[in-house]
Amino acid sequence: MYTLKTRLIKLFDVYLGLTFREKPVRLLNSSILLLQTGDLQNSITWSKVQSIENLGLSEKKREKYTIKENDVLLSVRGDTPKCLWMQNIPAEFSVYAASPIYIIRPNLQKLINFKHSTEEGFSFRLVSDEMLIDKNRAETIMYFSEYITWYLKSQIALRDLKGSLSGSSSKNITLEKLSALPVSIPDFNYLLPALEVIRLMEVLEQKMEEQLHNRKTYFELLLQKGQINTDENNY
């Protein structure tokens, strides 16, 4: 398997979310939602996202900053970066993200044009001809969004992200440094098999976390009842 190494900006468009001189005005039952770092959990609870008044953005800015399906949102402020792959955005809302959230958007043209040459003189494309068929383009973008979401949560990326933080009191990463973030990605022959392994690992990790949670809960119950047994096999 060939792993292609490049910079994030070579495959994705990277934007900093909207910045405001003053706090945006809240407006109940508005169709305009503003995501903030606290909203980036495992999934978004749309009913809890702040709704705001019309921002009066130009058409060009609306196109750029409106969150789209398969965008990846990243917030690196603090010790624990948050990353979320955007799926199933409610059609009735226009959704934006506020700084310090970054919008990482797959750029199909960049993916198509990207080529990797080995030291042996072989050249590999990141996207296959089959992926370029119109009916497959949406899936192609989805696969790369899913992969980059996993990658940005990996220990390799977290090390690079934390090493790029700047600031004194509230550290963050600049747009320039995030755009230049090194990324490793399998060539198209191995992208889908890699995603299958990633999905399996995530399922196993979730099960292990559930088992650990159940054991901790059981231990706490025994502790309350004064029935602690030193035989670890009992719990």
Side-chain angles (χ1 to χ4, degrees), residues 218-231:
Y218 184 54
F219 177 81
E220 292 169 359
L221 180 61
L222 293 178
L223 186 64
Q224 289 179 347
K225 293 184 177 181
Q227 297 177 355
I228 299 298
N229 189 320
T230 56
D231 183 0

Side-chain angles (χ1 to χ4, degrees), residues 17 32 35 48 54 58 89 98 103 105 139 159 161 163 180 184 198 212 235:
I32 301 174
L35 292 171
K48 295 183 179 180
N54 195 310
S58 66
I89 300 173
I103 304 164
R105 179 170 297 154
E139 287 189 1
R159 179 196 63 202
L161 287 169
S184 300
I198 289 169
L212 178 60
Y235 60 88

Side-chain angles (χ1 to χ4, degrees), residues 28 42 108:
L28 292 177
N42 292 331
L108 186 58

Side-chain angles (χ1 to χ4, degrees), residues 69-133:
E69 289 286 316
N70 294 310
D71 281 354
V72 177
L73 303 185
L74 176 70
S75 176
V76 193
R77 178 173 291 181
D79 296 328
T80 307
K82 296 182 178 182
C83 186
L84 185 64
W85 172 27
M86 298 301 294
Q87 295 178 286
N88 302 317
I89 300 173
E92 63 269 26
F93 295 123
S94 294
V95 182
Y96 298 93
S99 169
I101 295 175
Y102 283 98
I103 304 164
I104 301 170
R105 179 170 297 154
N107 184 314
L108 186 58
Q109 200 59 47
K110 289 182 179 181
L111 295 170
I112 291 171
N113 293 337
F114 184 82
K115 291 184 179 180
H116 174 75
S117 298
T118 68
E119 295 179 354
E120 296 81 8
F122 295 103
S123 181
F124 292 89
R125 291 170 55 196
L126 192 59
V127 177
S128 68
D129 291 332
E130 184 179 348
M131 286 180 169
L132 299 182
I133 300 173

Side-chain angles (χ1 to χ4, degrees), residues 79-81 149-163 181 205:
D79 296 328
T80 307
T149 301
W150 171 83
Y151 184 83
L152 290 171
K153 294 178 180 179
S154 71
Q155 292 302 311
I156 296 174
L158 289 177
R159 179 196 63 202
D160 291 335
L161 287 169
K162 289 183 178 180
L181 185 77
E205 183 178 3

